[in-house]
Amino acid sequence: MSAFLLWCALLASSPVGDTGAGEETPVVPAPGMAPEAEGPLPVPAPGPPMPSAPEARPVSQEPEQAGEALSTETGEPAEPDQAPEPPVAGTTVRAARPARSASEVTLDREILKSAPRTGAVDLLRLVPGLVVSQHGGEGKAHQLFLRGFDALHGQDVELNVGGLPVNEVSHVHALGYADMNFLIPEVVRELRVTEGSYRAFQGDFAVAGTVRVELGLEEPGVLLAGTVGQYGQRRLVAAVRPGENAETFAAVELGEGRGFGPRRGFGKASLLAQAATELETGAGAVRVRALAGSYTTRFDTPGVVREDDVLAGRQDFYAAPLGRQGGSAVRHQLLLGLELPGSEGHRTVLEVFGVVTDLRLRNNFTGFRGDERGDGLEQTHDGRTLGVRLEHRRRFSAWGREVAGEFGLGARRDGAEQTQRRYRESDGTFFAEEVDANFVQTDVWGYAEAQVPLGRWRLLLGGRADALGVNVFDALAFRDPRYYDGRGYSRSAFGVHTGAKAGLELSLTERWRLFASYGDGFRSPQARSLAEGERTPFVSVRGAELGARREGERLALQVSLFGSQVEDDFFFDHTVGTTVFTGETLRAGATVALQARPWEGVTAALSATGAHARVTATDTLLPYFAPLVARADVGWEREFRLWGTAGEVFAGTGLTLLGPRPLPFDEYSRTVFLADVQVGVRRGVLGLRLEAKNLLDARWRDGEFVYGSRMDPSAPASLVPSRHFTAGTPRTASLTLEVHL
């Protein structure tokens, strides 16, 4: 970590980070450290692009003061002796929500292309400090770890795709369940990350942070891509962008494979389509956007393997000792949005959305420990979400100063039917019902945030309030076979969560800024856990951060120290299907993130995060969190011309380092180091790309757990804890042919 910090400091002081106006090296757009690009402004009609020319990226930072000139490429204030250049053809000039904490970062398309990206797991691993585990197979939501939090399948990380929420409230498998497998990497334009809970727009499950995925297709025309690889991997992507607006596209993905070991097969289909345009009215241009998607999958899950069985030769490292695990998932989604015209510095966006999901999942983590027939659980969750969101930003005068304000209102209604049954391992039939319930959960919220300039200082003040109402019907409550009239129970609960947001910013130079941030985050409760008339017990998180950031055309650097406190924390133990309350927990750590373009054609995104998490009452480490996470993505590309046709060659790598994670009973997981690489060439309309994941063929464990189990029903019953794991992907190579028309 110290060597990494020293290297970052040397780069920050190097003159290569500041290209003068008279140099011949072309200016490269800034690495986009501020999230939330917003409504487009009119630009000149673009001409036809070269086949290999990358599309210019949108402006990533809005002016902090009215009348301040912006560079059209970096979004930073223009130098006094340098007038802003006109927009490049094909560029969408935007005003963006400015970064107001040290840990906000944008990962653009150039960085996304630097290493193999075949699914959501590859995209999310770019987020500084985020560990993404896929131990549940190709169709189950990933397990996430960030800033000392074991977010399970989404309970502590707010995920959003193009304005559509992904986290599902009160999910039967895990609170905040967020299945991102419907994403098509080719149409992901950028990731906007807000770590911590310091901004007022962050809502439910924004405990460790928020990740928003923005969609768009890089080049106009038609893209056809076919992939074949080891272990029966086959993938086909067809996408079309009819015009110069990257946000208007349609794409479909079909994929299947048998997996690298038993019970790892899958098949899936995903459709994503978005249209954005402007309609002229008497009051000005109204921007209209629609986003739709459908996704379906069927997948197998290998389950876990006991470590002692592998060491004794009774099981293979990639084995799946129990069958019948896996499931299916469906997701349909639609968003309609309007950006209303307003005076300069004002912006109003109205969005309505709906999501329908369906999950059927079978897991058995303990074999036959609890029952001779097997401990397998089948869970189903049929959910529906309807919501509306209004956001308004404006500048106004207060106390003789110009204040940048943001205001938001919204409501979200979730309803679901869910079941949980025990099934026999021998034939898959059910022998016990544990959950048969439905609920309606409504969240209504409002927030306000304002930044006041005080010379070189800027003061951020904000707040958010969420009112949550829940109605539950539990068909199995008070069920007693001796009677006929004591079955089923309905109940309702209501509560309000309020949270404060505050920040202080000091501009040291034109590029360096210091930040101090505070915020209250929250996660909503599991609906079935509430009693009649109970005040909804939100889990509240108080977080603070100190940090610095450097913005620049060639180099952007962030350093932050963070800490958080949860009054009454809990985590869901999926091995036994119960929630474990831990009382107060504390977390602290540090993050360094760097985006650099040191030479023409070279792009690098590096990050390292160290975290510590403990339970106050027992002064013990929380299990499963990630103490050390480091990630490096480096890409290189070079243009050429052959027989009069433009082309490019490219190469890239993505490196991941995970330090040992604490496990129950004072054990630790193993260190993980993974290296993914790609090389490719494109000439004219054809492109060829070779990718290899886990190039060093490391035998790594994607998930490690410690608990009691009995995988062999003939073995003696025992509750002695044992180490279990799910095997990570071995070296896997694939070849992709692309056709650009």
Side-chain angles (χ1 to χ4, degrees), residues 261-262 264 302-305 310 314-322 725-727:
R264 288 176 170 86
V304 296
V305 179
V310 174
R314 294 188 294 268
Q315 293 284 356
D316 180 70
F317 184 82
Y318 297 107
L322 299 174
F725 70 89
T726 54

Side-chain angles (χ1 to χ4, degrees), residues 101 103 146-147 156 158 193-199 202 206-210 501 519 521 543-545 562:
S101 70
S103 54
L146 180 63
R147 287 197 162 196
D156 296 319
E158 182 185 27
V193 183
T194 306
E195 295 195 6
S197 54
Y198 316 123
R199 301 297 302 272
Q202 295 179 272
V207 172
T210 299
K501 314 286 183 176
E545 179 183 87
F562 58 85

Side-chain angles (χ1 to χ4, degrees), residues 40-60:
L41 301 175
V43 298
M50 292 291 291
S52 62
E55 179 182 311
R57 292 186 300 279
V59 170
S60 61

Side-chain angles (χ1 to χ4, degrees), residues 272-285:
L272 284 172
Q274 181 173 262
T277 188
E278 289 189 355
L279 303 176
E280 292 295 334
T281 67

Side-chain angles (χ1 to χ4, degrees), residues 63 65-68 341-347 393-396 402:
Q65 297 179 357
E68 192 171 36
S343 58
E344 185 176 354
H346 294 187
R347 175 183 177 276
R393 292 190 225 162
R394 63 183 301 148
R395 294 183 179 275
F396 57 92
E402 187 178 68

